[in-house]
Amino acid sequence: RKAVIRITTGSQALDELLGGGIETLAITEAFGEFRSGKTQLAHTLCVSTQLPINLHGGNGKVAYIDTEGTFRPDRIVPIAERFGMDPSAVLDNIIYARAYTYEHQYNLLLGLAAKMSEEPFRLLVVDSVIALFRVDFSGRGELAERQQKLAQMLSRLTKIAEEFNIAVYMTNQVIADPGGGVFISDPKKPAGGHVLAHAATIRLMLRKGKGEQRVCKIFDAPNLPENVQIFQITPGGIAD
Ligand code: GTP
Ligand code: MG
């Protein structure tokens, strides 16, 4: 049986909330409004995953699937420097792919699985996991098919996490909740319905605080204590 590795987010507070960092053999989902820090956390994890295990890293390579074109290689540089790593070496260990359709996204996963069987990867980022599905199945009456294809892709992500001891970090969007169920003051909920809720091992709800401050809450985990932590987006990535 493979041992779980916990990879630091760059913030001790956030790591504490997660029980030590984001876990391999699991899918961590982050959802929240625009600019809440989902992509910045992805960038920080791209670097921290490459740290040695004794520095709370994963000692492994990173695969990044970008559906929104928001990955910034130049953003990796100050984050690597903050962790005392060589930026160009860090960039060389990030395998990047832009996906343009949900099918393309799925096929990229198949290709990555082949790579992961040959080299030690520890992180797979999918930012965002659902955006292309919402574009490609936007018509009325297409929801059932969308959810079926989404389930298929999420099951690939689960398989990758388990087969290669990978931490999957995926981002999700929020949608208006007509029922106003989650928060009375902020009636939004994660997209993807039960299919996504079921696939995620842990769901992080992010929101903006003051300035560069962000607030993270574990969403919908009846077995975990209700807990909220504050972190910052700094030039060196996610921090306390
Ligand atoms: P969407 O993808 O639009 O839904 O948002 P997101 O949740 O992915 O937000 P993202 O992670 O892109 O966070 C954007 C915020 O990060 C900005 O509002 C800035 O506060 C901060 N940020 C982005 N780039 C930098 C940077 O280069 N340096 C610093 N210090 N902060 C940055
Ligand atoms: Mg983003």
Side-chain angles (χ1 to χ4, degrees):
R1 164 135 188 95
K2 299 177 187 94
V4 172
I5 298 167
R6 290 180 181 81
I7 299 166
T8 182
T9 60
S11 154
Q12 274 188 32
L14 204 48
D15 287 352
E16 229 169 82
L17 191 68
L18 291 165
I22 71 153
E23 295 189 347
T24 62
L25 297 168
I27 298 182
T28 303
E29 173 196 348
F31 70 91
E33 58 190 329
F34 71 102
R35 295 171 80 181
S36 59
K38 305 180 295 288
T39 300
Q40 291 301 310
L41 178 53
H43 282 70
T44 307
L45 291 169
C46 280
V47 177
S48 64
T49 296
Q50 301 186 44
L51 286 166
I53 303 279
N54 63 346
L55 295 178
H56 311 292
N59 193 30
K61 297 187 183 219
V62 175
Y64 199 112
I65 297 181
D66 184 0
T67 69
E68 305 188 306
T70 55
F71 178 71
R72 296 279 172 273
D74 57 330
R75 188 74 188 92
I76 296 298
V77 174
I79 302 175
E81 285 167 348
R82 172 243 180 136
F83 285 103
M85 302 169 86
D86 171 21
S88 63
V90 167
L91 278 165
D92 281 346
N93 284 326
I94 303 170
I95 309 302
Y96 172 85
R98 175 89 157 86
Y100 294 94
T101 67
Y102 83 91
E103 282 161 310
H104 188 197
Q105 187 176 337
Y106 186 82
N107 289 332
L108 284 171
L109 290 179
L110 301 181
L112 281 173
K115 264 201 165 59
M116 285 167 175
S117 65
E118 289 161 6
E119 294 172 73
F121 281 80
R122 282 296 164 262
L123 175 70
L124 168 60
V125 173
V126 188
D127 183 20
S128 112
V129 76
I130 199 162
L132 294 173
F133 288 84
R134 296 186 72 198
V135 173
D136 296 342
F137 299 97
S138 58
R140 280 182 71 85
E142 287 187 292
L143 189 63
E145 195 191 349
R146 183 193 89 174
Q147 290 304 87
Q148 190 223 325
K149 299 288 186 192
L150 182 62
Q152 214 169 50
M153 201 203 45
L154 291 164
S155 100
R156 294 268 6 143
L157 290 178
T158 302
K159 210 167 161 219
I160 284 174
E162 288 173 358
E163 190 169 353
F164 305 113
N165 199 9
I166 299 267
V168 173
Y169 171 78
M170 63 183 189
T171 68
N172 187 13
Q173 302 169 318
V174 285
I175 53 174
D177 180 6
V182 181
F183 298 109
I184 289 143
S185 59
D186 187 12
K188 289 186 178 131
K189 63 177 186 181
H194 293 300
V195 165
L196 206 75
H198 180 75
T201 316
I202 188 159
R203 314 190 86 188
L204 307 179
M205 186 171 65
L206 305 184
R207 67 175 168 81
K208 281 176 271 196
K210 273 196 196 140
E212 301 303 281
Q213 220 174 59
R214 298 292 184 274
V215 182
C216 179
K217 188 179 170 190
I218 306 282
F219 181 74
D220 199 19
N223 52 338
L224 285 175
E226 181 106 334
N227 208 343
V228 172
Q229 288 287 1
I230 291 171
F231 64 91
Q232 318 277 337
I233 306 177
T234 75
I238 299 301
D240 284 305

